[in-house]
Amino acid sequence: MKDKDDTKERSMHHHRLQRKLVDLTKKLFANPTVFVILLMLSYALGYISSPTFNSSRHTPPPNSPNPSIFQLTNLPTQLDNFRVTTRCANPIPPQNARQLIIDRLFNGTSPYSNFPPPHVTQLLRARRIKGWGSYGAVFSRLINKVKPRIIIEVGTFLGASALHMSNLTRQLGLDTQILCIDDFRGWPGFRDKFKDIQMINGDILLYYQFIQNVMYLNASESVLPVPYSSGSALTTLCEWGVTGDLIEVDAGHDFNSAWADINRAWRILRPGGVIFGHDYFTAADNRGVRRAVNLFAKINGLQVRIDGQHWVIDSAGNM
């Protein structure tokens, strides 16, 4: 008898709870604001639990052997922060480039005038030319192919490759101007290997030795320094309308530096021109220059050709 009474009491309690829930639900849905909030919450919960949402939140890392479609299709978007957006001026005639740079960078006076200044005369060697991969056959092949009016070199150091290219263009009878972009500061600790490059009050005389090398080889009419960082110099040439037929990128060898230089240099490469550079094969493997070159080519639908230690991209596509 007691069991029956307990069962009846539980049944009545359950019935009262149901009535209360029904009444509460009616009151909630009678309020439009509450109804909208509940609707939005249910939509959000459904979206978060969907397979599409979960796959986009858990895309494989960039080096994954199986990247998702989402990742591949959004690769250009992911790189937007690294893109160069400077608006370039209309290209100027090649024969005007040298004087434009002398006027705007050197106040109208050639950097070779009255060189060397007295305070560095005794600190310079008559000739101190050093480079890496500066005499490869790629230089001759590309100059013969392109026959450039303007060559832009990004990363010059003591001028070995620039002076080699100057000699090659002279042998072909070309009227070529070579613009050498470099801040001429070397890198921290480089004087451990180049102790003969002197310093005055912390000012490394790399720039002066470069000028001395150019004058020693009688190349001052064809080789002109642009003594600024690659980023600021390439951006400025873009704004001035200076373009190159052949551009060598050989400054920083880490991914970020190479990526920035290649993108900026590409903007001032004339249609049909060639861009190339050194250090495609280094101890950095696919973390440095090679990664930047390959990624740039992939995104822009270009082909990379290897010539010794150099990479080459022909904007005309006829490798």
Side-chain angles (χ1 to χ4, degrees):
M1 186 69 179
K2 182 178 181 181
D3 291 339
K4 290 183 178 180
D5 291 338
D6 290 341
T7 302
K8 185 177 180 180
E9 185 177 348
R10 283 197 299 269
S11 177
M12 291 177 66
H13 179 70
H14 181 69
H15 182 69
R16 285 194 295 269
L17 285 176
Q18 283 183 323
R19 290 293 302 271
K20 288 182 179 179
L21 286 173
V22 170
D23 292 339
L24 179 61
T25 302
K26 287 180 179 179
K27 289 179 181 179
L28 287 174
F29 281 93
N31 188 323
T33 303
V34 173
F35 177 78
V36 171
I37 292 174
L38 289 172
L39 183 64
M40 292 177 67
L41 283 172
S42 63
Y43 177 82
L45 288 170
Y47 177 73
I48 291 172
S49 62
S50 70
T52 303
F53 179 84
N54 289 331
S55 65
S56 65
R57 284 175 59 88
H58 301 286
T59 54
N63 59 349
S64 170
N66 298 304
S68 68
I69 295 299
F70 174 86
Q71 185 181 15
L72 291 175
T73 56
N74 284 274
L75 183 58
T77 303
Q78 294 170 23
L79 291 169
D80 278 346
N81 291 335
F82 299 95
R83 292 186 182 278
V84 180
T85 57
T86 306
R87 182 179 178 83
C88 293
N90 293 329
I92 65 171
Q95 63 271 21
N96 295 349
R98 179 184 176 89
Q99 193 58 51
L100 173 71
I101 291 173
I102 290 177
D103 289 342
R104 296 195 178 184
L105 296 187
F106 302 108
N107 294 325
T109 301
S110 168
Y112 300 106
S113 296
N114 301 316
F115 186 87
H119 70 286
V120 301
T121 301
Q122 301 301 319
L123 300 176
L124 300 176
R125 295 179 58 176
R127 179 180 185 274
R128 177 65 165 104
I129 301 175
K130 167 65 179 175
W132 297 268
S134 301
Y135 303 98
V138 64
F139 293 99
S140 177
R141 280 194 279 267
L142 291 180
I143 288 174
N144 272 279
K145 171 185 170 60
V146 179
K147 294 182 172 51
R149 294 289 305 277
I150 299 288
I151 297 175
I152 298 174
E153 180 179 66
V154 185
T156 293
F157 197 51
L158 288 166
S161 57
L163 291 168
H164 177 55
M165 289 189 286
S166 174
N167 185 51
L168 291 172
T169 57
R170 188 182 307 170
Q171 292 175 3
L172 292 173
L174 301 175
D175 182 16
T176 303
Q177 189 63 221
I178 303 174
L179 306 178
C180 296
I181 296 174
D182 200 307
D183 60 8
F184 294 99
R185 301 297 303 172
W187 59 90
F190 92 94
R191 290 188 68 252
D192 293 341
K193 296 183 178 180
F194 296 87
K195 299 184 187 304
D196 55 318
I197 304 296
Q198 301 299 312
M199 180 185 294
I200 299 178
N201 296 106
D203 182 20
I204 299 170
L205 301 185
L206 193 60
Y207 176 66
Y208 291 100
Q209 187 60 58
F210 164 79
I211 296 289
Q212 175 65 29
N213 293 339
V214 173
M215 296 191 70
Y216 182 87
L217 294 180
N218 298 314
S220 59
E221 290 300 315
S222 60
V223 176
L224 186 67
V226 181
Y228 294 90
S229 68
S230 58
S232 60
L234 288 169
T235 298
T236 299
L237 294 183
C238 164
E239 294 170 346
W240 291 350
V242 177
T243 59
D245 306 293
L246 183 63
I247 302 181
E248 180 191 12
V249 178
D250 189 21
H253 298 148
D254 62 284
F255 169 78
N256 289 327
S257 297
W259 171 260
D261 289 344
I262 293 168
N263 276 271
R264 288 190 173 96
W266 184 258
R267 289 175 60 79
I268 61 172
L269 181 70
R270 73 156 176 81
V274 174
I275 185 172
F276 72 112
H278 192 227
D279 295 294
Y280 191 78
F281 300 103
T282 67
D285 195 35
N286 201 34
R287 301 184 305 277
V289 172
R290 193 193 317 173
R291 179 185 174 203
V293 172
N294 291 348
L295 182 59
F296 178 81
K298 181 177 181 180
I299 289 175
N300 292 281
L302 301 166
Q303 291 183 316
V304 180
R305 178 170 62 84
I306 308 306
D307 192 322
Q309 291 290 320
H310 286 76
W311 56 270
V312 180
I313 296 178
D314 188 335
S315 67
N318 53 341
M319 306 295 278

